[in-house]
Amino acid sequence: MKQEPVLKVTAYLTAVREGEQALLVFEEEDFEHLGLQVPGGTVMAGESLEDALLREIREEAGIEQAVIRAYLGEHSYVSEKLGCELTRHYYWLEATELVPGRFTHVVTSDDEDNGWIYHYRWIPFADSPPVLYGQLGQYLVKLRELHISASS
């Protein structure tokens, strides 16, 4: 019997910073070699994708107020690290609270990432999407297209 894929959510959290659209990214302390990442994680049993998304940005970035603007799509793949199939769901969110330009957050969760340290910053993405670690960047082009059409 085939095992169901592990469900993941990915948050492309944006805000206007210095007059242009910016994406919130982080580098993980002691794992900077992984490059830029965005908040996200595993959907818990009985949890909706949207609830998981909002929980993850609270746990991983300390952000309490954000609005989900669009569901961007999903991407399934096999994780060599975890040894199983993952289905990652990508969302566009906008911060509705003032978030500093740079900040450090210590993850607070009931999962393995509890206590991990993330160093956040905003990066503009209107000209070209940033390169994100692993499968995290799958829907950045679609996010950029949505922003361009929304601002037209």
Side-chain angles (χ1 to χ4, degrees):
M1 185 164 105
K2 185 178 177 189
Q3 182 181 1
E4 288 295 312
V6 174
L7 298 180
K8 298 276 190 178
V9 290
T10 301
Y12 295 152
L13 188 67
T14 67
V16 175
R17 306 295 297 189
E18 299 178 11
E20 60 186 327
Q21 284 292 336
L23 176 70
L24 186 66
V25 298
F26 71 85
E27 289 182 293
E28 185 178 340
E29 190 165 295
D30 297 327
F31 293 91
E32 292 84 359
H33 64 280
L34 298 177
L36 298 176
Q37 300 180 57
V38 292
T42 304
V43 179
M44 295 180 178
E47 189 176 39
S48 73
L49 294 174
E50 292 81 8
D51 287 344
L53 188 69
L54 296 172
R55 175 184 51 77
E56 288 291 348
I57 65 168
R58 273 192 313 275
E59 291 176 356
E60 293 192 356
I63 295 173
E64 298 286 338
Q65 299 174 20
V67 174
I68 299 172
R69 291 291 181 210
Y71 175 75
L72 302 173
E74 68 180 62
H75 175 66
S76 294
Y77 59 98
V78 174
S79 167
E80 291 181 26
K81 178 182 172 188
L82 300 176
C84 64
E85 184 178 351
L86 303 178
T87 298
R88 186 172 290 279
H89 295 268
Y90 299 80
Y91 286 84
W92 169 26
L93 299 91
E94 285 186 323
T96 55
E97 66 182 81
L98 184 59
V99 179
R102 289 181 176 268
F103 64 98
T104 296
H105 182 77
V106 178
V107 176
T108 54
S109 77
D110 294 328
D111 206 354
E112 68 176 338
D113 61 353
N114 188 57
W116 293 1
I117 301 170
Y118 295 161
H119 300 286
Y120 280 93
R121 70 181 189 269
W122 294 95
I123 58 171
F125 68 94
D127 294 332
S128 64
V131 174
L132 298 179
Y133 172 72
Q135 305 295 321
L136 296 176
Q138 289 293 320
Y139 279 84
L140 280 177
V141 170
K142 185 171 182 179
L143 173 67
R144 186 173 168 267
E145 290 168 358
L146 281 175
H147 269 282
I148 290 169
S149 65
S151 62
S152 299

